[in-house]
Amino acid sequence: MSAPGSGVDDDIDSLLEYLKSNRGFDFSGYKRMSLERRIRKRMDAVGIDDYGSYQDYLEVHPAEYTDLFNTILINVTSFFRDGPAWEFLASDAVPKMLAAIPDHQPIRVWCAGCASGEESYTTAMVLAETLGDEAFRDRVKIYATDVDEEALAQARLATYSSDAMKNVPEELRAKYFQQNGTGYTFRADLRRSVIFGRNDLVQDAPISRIDLLVSRNTLMYFAPEAQADILRRFNFSLNDTGFLFVGRSEMLITHGELFTPYNLHWRVFVRVPQPGMRDRYAFVTNAGGGIENEDGHPGRQLRDAAVDLAPLAQVVVDRTGVVTSINQKARALFGLTPTDIGRALQDLEISYRPVDLRSALDQAYETQRPVRLGRIAWRGAGADELTLEVDVTPVETAGAALLGASITFADVTAQAELHRLHSQSKRQLESASEELQSAVEELETTNEELQSTNEELETTNEELQSTNEELETMNEELQSTNDELEHVNEEQRNRSAELDRLNLFLEGILGSLGIGVVVVDRQQEIQLWNPSATEWWGLRSEEAIGENLLGLEMGLPMDAMREPLSQALARDPQKSEITLEAVNRRGRTFECHVRTLPLITADGETYGALVLMSEAGQA
Ligand SMILES: C[S@@+](CC[C@H](N)C(=O)[O-])C[C@H]1O[C@@H](n2cnc3c(N)ncnc32)[C@H](O)[C@@H]1O
C-alpha cells in the first residue's frame, strides 16, 4: 500500500494511462491490489523500484510489454475446471436452454475470457454430447474471446499436452481429440464451430443474442464498478431463455437487478429483463375508474358517517374548487373545522402546505387520472413528524363528467420508518456482502496468482532437475576419466619403479666396470658420468652432467680428445683408441687409454659418443 501523499497512486495511474494510450490496454478497472502486485513482480524482475522508471524502461525496451501483459493477464485455466459445476451445466442448464430454442435455430455461445481455449473446447464437448455431432456442426457457434492475443494464438492451435488433458475423461478424450506425437488436438470438424477473437470486455461491444454465456474467473479481476459495467453488457447479450455461467467465487450478489440465480451453488444465472421505456409505462396502473353518483341513496348518512371516521384523511372539493367534505382524520391532522366546508380550497392553508395541491388538481382534471404526489413530511402543531402519502383522484360521473376531486393523505409514517430501516439494513448487508465478495474474489485471484507462480516454480524446478541431471552425467564422466587416469598413473608408477630398478642395475654395472665411462650427446654435452670417472677426475656426476666434455678442466688433455670425439660422432672408426698421459685427482701421472665409440640408438640414429677410459696395461 502506498503511504499517504507518496505519489505512488499518481505514478501507477500515469503508468496505466501510458499503457492505455500506447498499447490500447485499459487496466484502470482492474482490482488495484492484484494489479499492483503483478506490476511490481515485473519491476522486481527487471530491477526497478518505482513506476516512473518502469515506464521509461518500457519506452526503451518494447519487448517488456509482452512480459508485463503476460504477468497481469493471468491465464490459469483447465479443461472441466470445477468439474461438478460443469456436470450441473451439462445435465440441467444446457438441456433446459436447448429445449427453449426451436430446432432449426442456431445456438449461440460466448466464452468471454477464454484464455488458451480449454474452457471453450469443454463447452463444445458438453454441447456436442447433448446435441450429437451433426446438430452441433450445423447449429452451434461458440464465440471464444479474450484480450490476450498470445493466449488466443495458443487456443486457435487447439493442441494440448497430456498434462493439460488430465481433467478430460478418457472417453471424451478418445472421442473428441486426435493424438499427434505427445499432444492432443481437438477434432477439426467440430473445431470449425469455435471462433476465436480478441474482445476487451471493458472497451469492446458485447456479442448479442447469446444463449449460453460462459465467463469464468475473469470478472473477479475487475473492481466493482467495472464488474457492473461488464455485467450490464452481459445482460444485453443474453437471450431471455439463456444462462450465464460464472466462476466458483463469482456470486453476483450485488447485481440482482441484472442477473438472478438459476442455481447459485453452481453459479448459473439468468438475466433479469431490463424493460424499455414502454415496458416501464406498462407498470403504471390506470386507477381512474368512475365512481357512481349515489345521490339520494338511502344509506347515504351511514356512508357519510363511515367516511368521516375513515382512518385515511380525506378532503373532497368540487369542480369549482369549493371544499365539500373534510373527514375527521383530515380535520385533526390539519387543524380544519367543519366550518371550512363550503370555502374555496385555495383560501385554506392546506392548499399549499404540506404540498401544493392546486397544480395537482389541475393536472388530475386535465389528464382525468389520479396524481400521486408521493411521500411528504408533515409536522402538525405540537405533534411528531409524520410521513404522508398524498393522492389527488378526479371524481367523475358514470358518463365521465367531472364532479370534483378527492384528496387523500395516508399516514405511512410506520411504513416509511420500516422502509428506512429496511433500506439501511439492506445497504449494510449489501456492503457486507460486497466486502465478502471482494474478499472471496481477492482470495481467488491470489490463489490463481499462486497457481501461476507455482507453475513458474515447477518450470524452474524442472530446469534445475535437468541441470542436476547434466551435472550428474558430467560427474560420472569425470569419475570415469579419473578411473582411467588412476590406471595410467598406476602404470606410470610401475614403469618408474622398473626404471629405478634398471637405473640401479646400470649404475651397478657402470660402477663395477672399474673404467671411466662417459656418454656425450651430439653437442658433446655430458649425459652420463660414472663413479670411476669421478674417482679419477674428481668431478661429481651432478657437476659434470650438462657440461661440454671438451670444455672440462681435468687431468686429461682435452685437445687430444677433440679429433677422436668428432670421428666417433661422425661414425668414423679411425682414431677410436688413443693413449694419453693424464694426471688423476690425486696428482698421480698415468697412461690413460681412451676409447671413443659412436653411440647408436636402436633405430640406427647417432645419439652421441661413448668414451671409455682405463689405465694403460690394466683394461
Ligand atoms: C484466469 S483466466 C480464466 C480462464 C477461463 N475462463 C477459466 O476460468 O479457466 C482470466 C482470463 O481473462 C482474460 N482477461 C483479462 N482481462 C480481460 C479483458 N479486459 N477482456 C477480456 N478478457 C480479459 C485474461 O487474458 C485471462 O485469459
Side-chain angles (χ1 to χ4, degrees):
M1 257 216 259
S2 58
S6 66
V8 169
D9 275 355
D10 291 350
D11 284 356
I12 192 173
D13 282 337
S14 93
L15 175 64
L16 295 182
E17 193 47 50
Y18 172 80
L19 293 176
K20 186 173 170 190
S21 54
N22 275 271
R23 292 285 155 145
F25 270 103
D26 183 2
F27 292 118
S28 56
Y30 288 58
K31 287 212 177 99
R32 261 312 152 90
M33 287 223 299
S34 164
L35 190 63
E36 279 182 24
R37 266 202 308 272
R38 305 305 286 174
I39 297 178
R40 279 250 159 247
K41 192 168 180 217
R42 277 314 306 159
M43 285 165 53
D44 288 347
V46 294
I48 286 179
D49 215 31
D50 65 289
Y51 293 110
S53 312
Y54 185 59
Q55 184 171 324
D56 297 343
Y57 184 87
L58 279 166
E59 268 177 52
V60 183
H61 305 90
E64 173 64 16
Y65 284 109
T66 315
D67 288 332
L68 176 64
F69 295 153
N70 280 342
T71 309
I72 296 179
L73 301 172
I74 294 174
N75 292 141
V76 172
T77 186
S78 65
F79 285 103
F80 292 100
R81 184 172 184 187
D82 310 323
W86 282 97
E87 272 166 33
F88 174 79
L89 192 82
S91 63
D92 185 313
V94 163
K96 191 153 189 228
M97 170 197 94
L98 293 177
I101 307 172
D103 278 353
H104 60 279
Q105 263 190 26
I107 299 155
R108 292 163 62 83
V109 180
W110 181 14
C111 290
C114 65
S116 42
E118 286 87 331
E119 184 179 84
S120 327
Y121 295 117
T122 302
T123 313
M125 283 187 272
V126 165
L127 288 171
E129 281 296 282
T130 317
L131 289 165
D133 288 359
E134 197 182 327
F136 178 87
R137 277 192 300 261
D138 290 349
R139 296 177 63 200
V140 175
K141 285 268 175 301
I142 298 176
Y143 301 95
T145 63
D146 201 288
V147 78
D148 185 340
E149 290 282 11
E150 264 189 36
L152 285 172
Q154 227 177 313
R156 286 189 183 101
L157 288 178
T159 300
Y160 299 93
S161 68
S162 48
D163 189 41
M165 295 288 292
K166 64 179 182 284
N167 281 354
V168 183
E170 191 49 55
E171 71 277 12
L172 296 186
R173 183 186 301 204
K175 192 163 163 190
Y176 293 107
F177 287 87
Q178 272 154 358
Q179 192 170 4
N180 43 12
T182 51
Y184 292 81
T185 303
F186 192 69
R187 254 171 57 192
D189 59 325
L190 306 180
R191 158 77 181 79
R192 276 180 217 113
S193 301
V194 190
I195 300 127
F196 288 98
R198 186 180 189 279
N199 180 289
D200 184 338
L201 291 173
V202 183
Q203 304 188 81
D204 297 333
I207 301 174
S208 63
R209 291 178 291 115
I210 292 300
D211 296 303
L212 176 61
L213 207 170
V214 181
S215 180
R216 313 193 69 225
N217 309 300
T218 299
L219 280 170
M220 65 187 189
Y221 284 96
F222 293 93
E225 308 82 65
Q227 281 192 13
D229 241 28
I230 296 172
L231 283 168
R232 267 191 287 278
R233 288 157 194 246
F234 283 178
N235 182 288
F236 162 82
S237 293
L238 207 58
N239 289 335
D240 281 343
T241 54
F243 289 101
L244 168 68
F245 182 31
V246 296
R248 199 176 45 190
S249 60
E250 296 159 329
M251 285 183 276
L252 317 191
I253 298 172
T254 49
H255 302 287
E257 79 290 1
L258 294 169
F259 289 97
T260 179
Y262 171 69
N263 187 310
L264 186 60
H265 185 68
W266 299 122
R267 308 291 190 260
V268 179
F269 293 80
V270 289
R271 81 188 277 262
V272 175
Q274 298 298 295
M277 290 305 273
R278 211 164 358 114
D279 293 341
R280 221 168 273 154
Y281 279 125
F283 293 144
V284 180
T285 55
N286 183 355
I291 296 174
E292 200 81 23
N293 183 351
E294 292 177 4
D295 271 357
H297 191 280
R300 169 145 193 198
Q301 230 185 335
L302 173 64
R303 187 195 63 186
D304 285 351
V307 167
D308 198 52
L309 292 173
L312 200 67
Q314 185 186 42
V315 174
V316 180
V317 291
D318 69 12
R319 184 67 184 88
T320 61
V322 173
V323 177
T324 61
S325 115
I326 307 171
N327 75 354
Q328 193 193 59
K329 183 87 181 176
R331 293 196 296 274
L333 210 52
F334 301 113
L336 295 167
T337 64
T339 55
D340 290 321
I341 297 171
R343 293 179 65 187
L345 179 75
Q346 66 184 40
D347 294 340
L348 303 176
E349 187 187 346
I350 191 179
S351 65
Y352 57 88
R353 208 193 315 269
V355 62
D356 179 23
L357 294 175
R358 291 157 302 187
S359 42
L361 277 166
D362 290 344
Q363 191 187 341
Y365 292 149
E366 195 180 319
T367 59
Q368 297 196 351
R369 292 188 188 286
V371 174
R372 167 152 288 188
L373 292 170
R375 294 188 169 184
I376 280 122
W378 171 246
R379 189 189 291 274
D384 290 339
E385 186 174 282
L386 301 176
T387 304
L388 303 175
E389 202 156 69
V390 186
D391 287 281
V392 178
T393 310
V395 181
E396 300 167 346
T397 63
L402 263 176
L403 292 172
S406 154
I407 306 161
T408 53
F409 303 84
D411 182 356
V412 293
T413 313
Q415 291 99 306
E417 180 59 8
L418 269 179
H419 185 257
R420 192 186 63 75
L421 288 174
H422 175 250
S423 309
Q424 192 182 7
S425 339
K426 198 169 156 217
R427 269 197 308 280
Q428 283 169 348
L429 194 68
E430 271 177 3
S431 93
S433 63
E434 255 174 50
E435 277 170 27
L436 183 70
Q437 173 68 11
S438 160
V440 168
E441 287 176 4
E442 179 71 24
L443 202 67
E444 191 66 24
T445 49
T446 313
N447 204 11
E448 293 212 345
E449 282 175 37
L450 282 177
Q451 201 170 325
S452 133
T453 311
N454 196 26
E455 280 169 14
E456 282 168 24
L457 281 178
E458 272 185 18
T459 321
T460 315
N461 199 18
E462 276 175 22
E463 283 171 9
L464 278 178
Q465 210 166 320
S466 119
T467 313
N468 198 21
E469 281 168 12
E470 271 173 35
L471 281 178
E472 282 211 354
T473 334
M474 275 168 64
N475 201 16
E476 289 200 357
E477 282 172 24
L478 281 177
Q479 213 165 318
S480 126
T481 313
N482 201 23
D483 286 350
E484 280 170 26
L485 280 177
E486 279 207 357
H487 184 67
V488 170
N489 222 5
E490 179 65 28
E491 265 183 23
Q492 206 63 37
R493 258 199 306 275
N494 288 344
R495 289 226 179 128
S496 176
E498 175 75 358
L499 214 57
D500 284 351
R501 204 178 55 75
L502 280 175
N503 261 345
L504 281 178
F505 184 59
L506 195 63
E507 270 175 26
I509 293 173
L510 290 174
S512 317
L513 277 174
I515 61 171
V517 179
V518 176
V519 173
V520 295
D521 64 10
R522 285 162 71 172
Q523 283 72 42
Q524 300 167 351
E525 270 176 19
I526 298 169
Q527 304 299 318
L528 188 142
W529 184 268
N530 82 339
S532 299
T534 301
E535 180 59 30
W536 280 349
W537 312 119
L539 263 180
R540 282 181 284 119
S541 130
E542 44 288 16
E543 290 167 334
I545 286 175
E547 296 296 321
N548 193 305
L549 177 64
L550 298 178
L552 287 183
E553 287 192 9
M554 53 188 213
L556 195 69
M558 281 302 168
D559 279 349
M561 288 289 296
R562 199 172 297 279
E563 201 182 347
L565 204 53
S566 50
Q567 276 177 1
L569 290 174
R571 292 182 170 188
D572 178 357
Q574 277 182 42
K575 283 247 171 139
S576 73
E577 288 189 33
I578 50 173
T579 301
L580 299 171
E581 186 166 306
V583 181
N584 74 4
R585 74 181 169 98
R586 292 192 179 83
R588 182 173 70 83
T589 305
F590 67 103
E591 294 282 306
C592 186
H593 183 77
V594 182
R595 202 162 164 213
T596 315
L597 301 167
L599 184 60
I600 297 172
T601 62
D603 51 6
E605 291 289 314
T606 307
Y607 174 83
L610 183 64
V611 184
L612 306 175
M613 296 164 277
S614 57
E615 197 163 345
Q618 278 190 353

